[in-house]
Amino acid sequence: MYDVVLLTLGSERDAPGGACGSGGACCGGEEGATGDAASGGGATGDDGHAPAEQRCETPRVPVLACADALTARGARVETVTARSDAEIDEVLARLDGPPRPDGLTWPDPDSKTRLVVATASDGQLRAVVRRLVRRYAPPPSRRPADLPGNRTVPDLPPVGVLPLDPARAGGQRDLAAQLGLPRDPAAVAAAVLDGTVRRLDLLRNDGGSVTLDGALIGAADDAGRPLHWRGRVEVDDAVLSAGDDPLLACAIGNAAGYARLDELPLLSAGDPTDGLVEVAVAVPVVTRSTLGRKRVRFEVRRARGRAVAVVPRDERVPYLDDGVEGELSRKRSWWVEPAAWAVYAA
């Protein structure tokens, strides 16, 4: 028999634009400037929790349906709404393994506790995985011998993903849709109890966060016209832009969520299991026809590797990372942690 914790974040701050998702029931504050600060809440009271008027006290219908399906299968189920990083950490502590001689906190590979995260956005799922990394990544000075040589984190505990919204037709698909994970609450429950564990690559970055799907650097004006920016973009030893080119966008892909920008193909493949990050930059190129008319086409430069570094030449460059807005004002590096995190798949 398994103990299953069904975790919901008590704030919609990581949803794109602060959207509530289907049903319109949301709580918490607006998206912050960094987009990835306290994962569980916007404004807080003196006790560190969201004010009463911001809280969602009743779990969403998919959460209740999943809990019922798990209970019917004999699992002991607890639903938890976390409104701060500390409350997320309290849940994740249940996945800890026994004490180690080196004193490191390590996940239990034989744990009888399983975690399901109810998500209204990829940003919310990222918030939980980010806390898993914070919990289990050892300090560089205490790197243990049993840590894989190409990783800075151990095998993170698998996560069941319960999407709170139906799959969208067209447009950008969320990570659950890209991975072919079940969306029906009963199917999610079955995957958590009987399914397989699918290990996936994780992107860590030097800003202290993680990326599950990808990032898109660049922006448009109020009329939807792209705003060009400049920056140096390197993938391992390959230089996609030395900082002199006007860039339309830079896509950093672990999966395929940012494979296209409108009708412009950026990333050629999104495989979160190949141990590589794919990066593409779109550079506008002006040509002239035989009649002397100017034409603008976009040159897409691509590279794949273990790490990518972006150094903006402009003061602030907007970006999206797993759907969460932010601004890039200094060098940012991402690197691949192969098969570091995992999901329960059908």
Side-chain angles (χ1 to χ4, degrees), residues 25 30 243 255 308:
E30 296 179 354
V308 54

Side-chain angles (χ1 to χ4, degrees), residues 10 25-29 43-45 49-57 83:
C26 68
C27 47
T44 57
H49 293 82
E53 65 269 19
Q54 291 184 337
R55 299 180 183 177
C56 299
E57 299 298 343
R83 302 179 180 88

Side-chain angles (χ1 to χ4, degrees), residues 151-208:
R151 294 237 301 266
T152 64
V153 294
D155 285 353
L156 299 177
V159 175
V161 181
L162 174 63
L164 293 178
D165 292 316
R168 299 177 181 88
Q172 183 176 340
R173 298 187 302 162
D174 62 19
L175 191 58
Q178 293 182 56
L179 297 174
L181 300 180
R183 305 186 78 89
D184 177 76
V188 172
V192 169
L193 298 179
D194 302 322
T196 60
V197 172
R198 184 179 177 187
R199 301 215 66 86
L200 303 166
D201 300 337
L202 177 70
L203 295 183
R204 292 193 68 184
N205 68 57
D206 56 2

